[in-house]
Amino acid sequence: MSLLENLKGVVLEGQIEGAGKDCMGLYLEQQKLLQGRPVYRYRQGLFWLYFDAKVQEWKVKNGRGVNMMYVPSDAIQASEILSDWVIVDESTKPASKVVCPHVKVRTATPKEIEEEKEFMRDIVIENLNPIFEEVSGFYKVVLDKSMAGRPVYQSSDGSLMILYEPHRETWCIRAVASAEVLAESPVCDTKLPTKIDVTKPWKFFDCDVTGLTIRYANDADKQADEKRLNTRKIEEERSKGCDIIVELGKDARTVKSGTYKLQDDDLNGHPVHKHKTGCEISHDSVRWCLKSPNGGIEAYCRSQAKHPSLIAAPWLRVEEEELQETPSEDPNEQDKQKEKEKEK
C-alpha cells in the first residue's frame, strides 16, 4: 500500500504569536501507536504530537526533542482534547509558560489531507534544454528532512539534492559530495518546487538558462530513471581504463587537441588524463578542469560525471586575464620563466 493512501490527520490551530506559532498546522497520523494512542507528525518530522503516559499529557516536540507545547489530558485521540494548551518558550531563562485557551485540535478534512500529500510526493526534473541533462531525472522526497518548512528531495543515485535555501530565497540543486550549487531557481517563496515559475530562468553553470521544469513523478518516471541509471553504470564501466580524444576549437590558447592518456593515479575519486605536451583533464572535487602544461586552467565545467567522456554539462572558458598560472616544478622551466620576466 502506498504511503499516500488512507492518510488521516489532525489540525492544531489557534491565533497565537511568538513561541508555538510555527507548531500550528496539519499533523499526519503515523502507522504506530504509543501508549495505545496515535502519534502524529508535522511535515518531514519538523514537529511531533504524541501522548506522554508518564505525566498524562499530550505534547508537541520539535525534531530535536525540545518541548514546544503540552496539555494535561488522557484523551484517546488528539482531536478529543478539551483542556487548554500551554505554550513553552525555551528562549527565556527560566522557560516561560503561557496558557492558550484558543488553541484547539480538530480532525483534518479530506481536502486538507489531499493538499498535504503534495509535500510527500516524489518529483521529476525535466529539461527542455540539453544544458540541464546532468541534473534531470527522478528525485525522491526525503520524508525525515525539511528545510524552512519545505520538503527536501534526493536523486535516485544519491548524488544530488534539491532543497529550498531561505538565505538565498531560492530552490537549489546541490551535489551531495561537494555541496556545490549546480543550479539555482529564480528568487521565490514557493512551498514546493513544482510551483516555481517556469518562464523565469535558472542560474545554471554561471549562466541564466530557461527550459527546466519540475513536476510530480509517477510510476513510469521511476522505471525510466532506473533504466537511465543502469545505462549510465554500463557506460561508466566501459569508460574505465580508457584513454580519451579531446577535440578543441581554433581559439584554444594553451591546451592541445589529441589523445589524452589515462594516468595511474586518480584525483578526488576521478581519473586523470594527460596529453603528451603535459596538458591535463582532471577533477577538483567540484568541477572538471582542462589545464595547460604549467597548470593554468583554460576551461572548466561543473559536472559530477565519473569520467570526462560522460560529461553532459557545457564547458566554460576562462578569460585571458583570469588564466590561473602556477610555476613549473622543473628548474629549467623556472629559469626560462624568469628570463621571460626579465625581458618584459
Side-chain angles (χ1 to χ4, degrees):
M1 180 185 296
S2 170
L3 288 174
L4 300 183
E5 295 179 15
N6 300 323
L7 288 178
K8 295 187 294 182
V10 297
V11 176
L12 184 63
E13 58 187 8
Q15 295 296 323
I16 61 173
E17 296 295 333
K21 181 180 179 180
D22 293 338
C23 302
M24 301 297 105
L26 191 148
Y27 289 70
L28 291 175
E29 185 174 323
Q30 305 301 291
Q31 296 178 339
K32 62 180 179 180
L33 296 176
L34 184 64
Q35 303 298 330
R37 292 163 175 80
V39 176
Y40 305 88
R41 185 181 71 170
Y42 190 75
R43 291 172 189 162
Q44 279 69 40
L46 200 61
F47 300 106
W48 293 84
L49 170 60
Y50 69 98
F51 180 73
D52 186 342
K54 293 181 180 179
V55 290
Q56 295 291 292
E57 294 174 347
W58 280 87
K59 293 182 176 181
V60 173
K61 287 191 175 184
N62 64 19
R64 301 187 302 276
V66 176
N67 192 21
M68 307 294 291
M69 303 171 61
Y70 69 90
V71 56
S73 172
D74 62 355
I76 299 301
Q77 299 281 341
S79 58
E80 298 173 357
I81 296 172
L82 299 176
S83 304
D84 293 340
W85 282 84
V86 178
I87 309 296
V88 181
D89 187 354
E90 294 283 353
S91 66
T92 62
K93 300 295 181 183
S96 63
K97 299 179 181 180
V98 179
V99 178
C100 295
H102 300 299
V103 174
K104 302 295 180 184
V105 181
R106 62 171 174 82
T107 301
T109 66
K111 181 181 179 181
E112 288 170 330
I113 293 293
E114 286 301 314
E115 292 175 350
E116 189 66 19
K117 285 181 180 180
E118 294 187 348
F119 289 83
M120 303 173 64
R121 295 180 63 181
D122 303 326
I123 60 173
V124 168
I125 296 181
E126 293 182 316
N127 62 311
L128 303 178
N129 188 323
I131 197 173
F132 292 119
E133 179 65 30
E134 287 199 10
V135 299
S136 299
F138 179 88
Y139 285 70
K140 189 172 183 61
V141 63
V142 183
L143 292 176
D144 59 349
K145 287 185 179 180
S146 66
M147 178 65 74
R150 296 163 172 84
V152 174
Y153 306 85
Q154 189 162 26
S155 60
S156 298
D157 63 358
S159 65
L160 301 173
M161 297 193 80
I162 177 168
L163 67 163
Y164 186 81
E165 303 195 8
H167 63 287
R168 294 172 177 266
E169 296 184 328
T170 58
W171 286 87
C172 294
I173 302 174
R174 284 186 178 272
V176 173
S178 64
E180 175 79 358
V181 175
L182 303 181
E184 185 176 9
S185 77
V187 173
C188 63
D189 61 355
T190 59
K191 293 294 184 182
L192 295 162
T194 53
K195 308 296 185 182
I196 297 171
D197 188 345
V198 297
T199 65
K200 294 182 178 180
W202 283 63
K203 182 71 68 174
F204 197 74
F205 299 120
D206 300 331
C207 305
D208 288 332
V209 187
T210 57
L212 185 146
T213 59
I214 303 177
R215 62 171 174 81
Y216 293 122
N218 54 44
D219 291 340
D221 293 318
K222 189 173 183 179
Q223 294 171 3
D225 200 64
E226 290 174 353
K227 183 177 180 180
R228 181 180 67 87
L229 290 177
N230 288 335
T231 300
R232 190 168 72 183
K233 287 180 181 178
I234 293 173
E235 292 175 344
E236 288 176 356
E237 286 298 319
R238 287 176 178 171
S239 65
K240 286 181 178 179
C242 296
D243 300 332
I244 60 174
I245 302 293
V246 176
E247 297 179 352
L248 302 170
K250 294 180 180 180
D251 58 347
R253 298 179 295 249
T254 59
V255 291
K256 303 294 183 181
S257 298
T259 300
Y260 282 61
K261 291 189 172 295
L262 177 67
Q263 303 302 292
D264 293 334
D265 296 326
D266 288 352
L267 180 64
N268 298 311
H270 294 74
V272 176
H273 293 80
K274 283 192 175 182
H275 187 265
K276 62 183 179 182
T277 60
C279 300
E280 174 184 301
I281 290 183
S282 58
H283 200 277
D284 65 3
S285 80
V286 171
R287 59 187 181 173
W288 282 96
C289 298
L290 182 57
K291 299 179 180 179
S292 63
N294 64 3
I297 299 175
E298 175 151 333
Y300 67 92
C301 72
R302 290 196 174 97
S303 169
Q304 299 301 307
K306 295 294 185 183
H307 192 273
S309 65
L310 303 177
I311 296 172
W315 284 84
L316 299 177
R317 177 173 172 168
V318 176
E319 295 304 321
E320 188 108 29
E321 61 272 15
E322 297 179 77
L323 280 174
Q324 300 175 23
E325 302 289 347
T326 56
S328 168
E329 294 181 0
D330 186 338
N332 294 326
E333 288 297 325
Q334 291 180 353
D335 291 340
K336 290 179 182 178
Q337 289 177 7
K338 290 179 180 178
E339 290 298 324
K340 287 182 180 179
E341 291 175 359
K342 289 180 180 178
E343 291 175 1
K344 291 180 180 178

